[in-house]
Amino acid sequence: MGECISLTHLFPVFLNMQERNCLVVGGGQVAERKVLNLLEYKANITVVSPEVTDNLKQLITRHSIVWYNREFIPDDLENMSLVFVATDTGNVNQEVASLCREKGILINAVDDPPNCDLYIPSILKRGSLTVAISTEGKSPAYAARLRRELEQIITEDYGKLVDILGEQRDRVKETVDDIEIRRAIFQSMANSDLLELIQMGAEDKIRERIEQCMSLWQV
């Protein structure tokens, strides 16, 4: 996933990327993977590169991304929130990183640790449930291995559970004023056997269990 080596421990964070302006410098296969990943999160993407892959050309034709058919220039950083550099030219990486740091823009330079501020983990996604694994750049391959192992354990049913818990959270917030009772209900649902019932496809039992947890506020 292109993690970068860090000398200090990293602060994990999840960002809302919707309509956030992102710059990708480079147009090869690595840049393509970055673009496709960012599109999943509805970011606004600009690519700067004299050449791009066929898949990127299709995205450009469909107006899914903006492409500047040239080399990077400093003005490309204007209004950008995040920058990803995917070139095999160290001088370009260093130039972009230096300019980004001057402007306070986070940058990920693929396989170029000294020019990284933004680190990309190995990700397992099940609906609204996201598990991100980082080795702080020490072994991206092992992070990927752990993700593959977790994929066998954390199935799509876990994502369904999160959706149910989210729906019930909204319901509780609308109907229960007491914060301590809210917490008790949330804990009761999270610690219940809802996952097992989802795995069994026991719809009636799921509704029954939810109502049992909700009844705590009526006691």
Side-chain angles (χ1 to χ4, degrees):
M1 298 294 294
E3 283 191 290
C4 299
I5 295 173
S6 168
L7 297 178
T8 59
H9 291 300
L10 305 180
F11 177 70
V13 63
F14 287 86
L15 296 176
N16 180 356
M17 296 296 293
Q18 186 168 353
E19 297 186 2
R20 192 176 292 273
N21 295 331
C22 298
L23 176 68
V24 177
V25 181
Q29 295 295 329
V30 175
E32 178 185 309
R33 289 196 295 272
K34 294 293 183 185
V35 168
L36 293 174
N37 188 223
L38 289 167
L39 282 175
E40 291 182 23
Y41 297 92
K42 304 185 185 305
N44 296 329
I45 305 166
T46 298
V47 173
V48 176
S49 178
E51 298 180 358
V52 294
T53 65
D54 290 340
N55 287 335
L56 287 177
K57 287 178 181 177
Q58 293 179 18
L59 293 173
I60 294 162
T61 301
R62 296 200 300 265
H63 303 288
S64 298
I65 62 176
V66 174
W67 177 37
Y68 292 128
N69 183 4
R70 54 168 171 72
E71 300 288 349
F72 167 84
I73 59 174
D75 286 348
D76 291 329
L77 299 178
E78 194 68 28
N79 297 320
M80 292 297 168
S81 297
L82 300 174
V83 174
F84 299 83
V85 181
T87 74
D88 55 4
T89 306
N91 290 340
V92 172
N93 294 358
Q94 188 173 7
E95 177 190 3
V96 178
S98 177
L99 290 169
C100 283
R101 286 164 177 166
E102 288 178 8
K103 295 177 176 291
I105 302 172
L106 292 176
I107 179 172
N108 170 259
V110 179
D111 293 330
D112 190 356
N115 293 308
C116 274
D117 297 315
L118 176 68
Y119 306 85
I120 309 301
S122 189
I123 296 173
L124 166 60
K125 192 162 181 63
R126 298 287 188 249
S128 295
L129 176 64
T130 301
V131 179
I133 305 168
S134 172
T135 59
E136 297 189 345
K138 294 176 181 177
S139 181
Y142 187 61
R145 173 189 166 180
L146 287 177
R147 186 203 69 235
R148 290 192 296 271
E149 292 177 0
L150 287 173
E151 284 173 349
Q152 306 305 312
I153 300 171
I154 303 176
T155 64
E156 296 293 342
D157 289 330
Y158 283 73
K160 294 176 183 177
L161 173 60
V162 169
D163 288 339
I164 289 174
L165 293 175
E167 292 169 2
Q168 297 310 312
R169 181 179 178 84
D170 291 339
R171 177 187 173 191
V172 170
K173 291 171 71 174
E174 290 174 359
T175 58
V176 181
D177 293 329
D178 191 292
I179 294 178
E180 292 304 318
I181 295 177
R182 284 185 187 178
R183 289 175 179 169
I185 294 173
F186 295 151
Q187 287 296 326
S188 179
M189 289 187 184
N191 295 330
S192 72
D193 59 348
L194 280 173
L195 177 61
E196 290 79 3
L197 295 175
I198 292 170
Q199 292 169 333
M200 293 166 56
E203 298 292 335
D204 291 341
K205 290 290 186 180
I206 292 171
R207 287 191 290 270
E208 180 181 324
R209 190 70 72 248
I210 288 171
E211 292 311 314
Q212 287 176 351
C213 295
M214 286 292 294
S215 67
L216 288 173
W217 76 281
Q218 297 173 332
V219 176

